[in-house]
């Protein structure tokens, strides 16, 4: 869930940042040597990881999905997708999809973000906090979107009710 993902992301960020501060303190007092060069390399190598953890944690902290009579709004970090209800195609509960349903690359508890494939349907963009059973798949003009509302079945029911009311 979202809290788990934030705890892991922010915890990892804090741990790596603390190690970097420790190595920087060692560098300030150590004479130039192979060991101090290695400490510097570790610090520099950790910077992209820190940026990635910060980006993912920010996206997760701002994650929310709002469905209304007129549109579905998906927010993730600085991104905001407003999908008019009339542009939404099919909907699927992730639990109803056969096969593996996860993005390529690194994912973890609370942070299921990236691109994957939905069988013959095509590419799916994941902006979610849970695995397959907590996902809702939404077809819209740009492809498929996988999100993870708190209660997928309730979300689907609400979505269908709003769709039935029309615009």
């Amino acid at each position: 869930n979202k809290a788990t993902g934030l705890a892991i992301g922010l915890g990892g960020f804090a741990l790596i940042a603390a190690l970097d501060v420790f190595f920087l303190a060692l560098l300030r007092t150590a004479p130039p040597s192979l060991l101090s060069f290695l400490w510097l390399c570790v610090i520099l190598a950790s910077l992209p990881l820190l940026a990635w953890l910060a980006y993912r944690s920010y996206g997760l902290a701002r994650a929310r999905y709002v469905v209304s009579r007129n549109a579905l709004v998906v927010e993730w970090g600085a991104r905001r997708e407003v999908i008019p209800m009339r542009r939404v195609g099919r909907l699927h509960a992730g639990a109803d999809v056969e096969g593996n349903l996860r993005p390529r690359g690194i994912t973890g508890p609370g942070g299921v973000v990236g691109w994957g494939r939905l069988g013959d349907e095509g590419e799916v963009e994941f902006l979610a906090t849970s695995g397959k059973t907590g996902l809702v798949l939404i077809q819209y003009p740009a492809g498929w979107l996988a999100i993870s509302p708190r209660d997928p079945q309730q979300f689907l029911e609400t979505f269908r009710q709003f769709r039935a009311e029309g615009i």
Side-chain angles (χ1 to χ4, degrees), residues 32-87:
S33 67
L34 178 61
L35 186 59
S36 60
F37 174 73
L38 291 175
W39 292 336
L40 180 62
C41 289
V42 167
I43 293 168
L44 293 175
S46 73
L47 295 179
L49 181 57
L50 283 172
W52 182 78
L53 285 169
Y55 172 76
R56 294 288 288 259
S57 296
Y58 174 71
L60 191 54
R62 295 229 336 114
R64 74 183 194 128
Y65 322 107
V66 179
V67 63
S68 71
R69 192 170 149 258
N70 298 320
L72 167 66
V73 178
V74 178
E75 293 182 359
W76 195 276
R79 181 176 174 187
R80 186 170 199 258
E81 286 281 335
V82 178
I83 306 166
M85 196 61 80
R86 68 183 178 282
R87 308 282 317 261

Side-chain angles (χ1 to χ4, degrees), residues 120-149:
D120 295 334
E121 302 286 339
E123 290 289 307
V124 178
E125 182 178 12
F126 291 79
L127 296 174
T129 61
S130 66
K132 182 178 178 176
T133 58
L135 293 177
V136 171
L137 296 153
I138 301 163
Q139 184 184 36
Y140 72 116
W144 286 89
L145 192 58
I147 63 173
S148 56

